[in-house]
Amino acid sequence: MEKNFDPRNTGVCLWSKFFSALNLNKFPKNLKIESQGKEITMSFNDSLKCPGLDRTLIVIPLEQPCPQCGEIVEIWSDELKRRCAGCGMVVHNPNPLSAIPDPNMNESNQSAHQSRLDELVTLAISLGASAATVVDAKDILAEDYLANLCREARCPNYGLSPTCPPHVKGPEWLRDFIKKTSAALVFEIEVSQDSMYSDRRRETGQLLHFIAAQLEAAAIEKGFLMARGFAGGSCKNLFCYDHTHCQVLSGNGTCRHPGLSRPSVSGYGINMNHLLKSAGLKKKKGDNTHPVSSSYGLVLL
């Protein structure tokens, strides 16, 4: 260290000066170690590297605006969500870091396929789902009369977003698409019934879309290239409720939340009662003391 060196007068890290003073040429370029009776040659740099260093270096703070009050919320890139200090709304990280397994793992095709499905189920739970399971894609029924209820019953969100009727492709398209897929991941979010009739209802809907979007992205990275997520509720009501018009439908720009909003389950006429029965997920009512309610989403694989 330099004489009279004062760290308060420089931005140079003390450790940086220490390592720069080392003469690394004195160290061997390769190290030989013995492990389980075998001799392994390791480069000197490998021997110094912390196994978790790569991930640590890429974790950075992100700034996400709160969809309710607009206050900036700091979320680390490996975090899923943070609650806004201003209004209490949960703000989701649209692109959290997630560990993706090596697609060239040494397994049979069948076991590798099942392993990837199991990992998606685990991911769904870690993202906030109460339950998740995989079903055969043939168990999904897309029925016209269910999709027509959006129009005939005049849903208050009808026509307000590109993910709802009449702007979606509908049941006929979905029936053809299902033939090209093999499975679907169905997930559930269970909350207290009081939450569904309070300001928290929007928060639950946002989480539902967030999980569907994250599972869709993870499935594509795992090799399910045709993965498509669906969720309940209007994205206009969930994410752009404080805006008069949808930018996509008004022609004034692109989607404000492309990494979050997903097509409506109802708009495609998906028979959720039939699907839940096939998936073994029973609608829970709780008890008189703690009544519960559930919301559902799915990702075609």
Side-chain angles (χ1 to χ4, degrees), residues 80 98-101 113-134 184-188 210-211 214-215 218-219 222 224 301:
L80 298 176
S98 57
I100 303 300
H113 178 77
Q114 185 58 50
S115 177
R116 290 194 293 270
L117 292 176
D118 292 342
E119 287 161 359
L120 288 173
V121 170
T122 301
L123 178 60
I125 300 299
S126 69
L127 290 172
S130 307
T133 189
V134 175
L185 192 158
V186 185
F187 64 93
E188 171 190 20
F210 170 74
I211 294 175
Q214 290 299 311
L215 290 175
K222 292 177 187 296
F224 299 98
L301 303 170

Side-chain angles (χ1 to χ4, degrees), residues 64-135:
Q64 294 291 331
C66 173
Q68 180 157 289
C69 70
E71 183 171 324
I72 297 300
V73 179
E74 184 181 270
I75 307 177
W76 286 89
S77 56
D78 62 342
E79 292 181 319
L80 298 176
K81 57 188 177 182
R82 271 286 179 92
R83 193 173 290 277
C84 175
C87 66
M89 171 70 74
V90 172
V91 180
H92 298 285
N93 183 352
N95 189 30
L97 294 173
S98 57
I100 303 300
D102 183 0
N104 300 316
M105 60 181 121
N106 187 22
E107 296 180 295
S108 67
N109 289 337
Q110 184 175 359
S111 61
H113 178 77
Q114 185 58 50
S115 177
R116 290 194 293 270
L117 292 176
D118 292 342
E119 287 161 359
L120 288 173
V121 170
T122 301
L123 178 60
I125 300 299
S126 69
L127 290 172
S130 307
T133 189
V134 175
V135 299

Side-chain angles (χ1 to χ4, degrees), residues 16-84:
S16 194
K17 295 180 72 65
F18 170 73
F19 282 114
S20 64
L22 291 177
N23 183 0
L24 296 180
N25 291 327
K26 294 181 179 180
F27 291 90
K29 293 184 178 180
N30 294 299
L31 300 176
K32 292 186 178 181
I33 60 175
E34 188 172 316
S35 175
Q36 297 180 353
K38 297 181 180 180
E39 189 178 79
I40 300 175
T41 300
M42 178 184 295
S43 72
F44 178 67
N45 286 337
D46 286 340
S47 68
L48 290 179
K49 185 177 179 182
C50 169
L53 182 61
D54 287 340
R55 183 172 180 84
T56 303
L57 291 176
I58 61 175
V59 174
I60 58 173
L62 305 172
E63 292 186 342
Q64 294 291 331
C66 173
Q68 180 157 289
C69 70
E71 183 171 324
I72 297 300
V73 179
E74 184 181 270
I75 307 177
W76 286 89
S77 56
D78 62 342
E79 292 181 319
L80 298 176
K81 57 188 177 182
R82 271 286 179 92
R83 193 173 290 277
C84 175

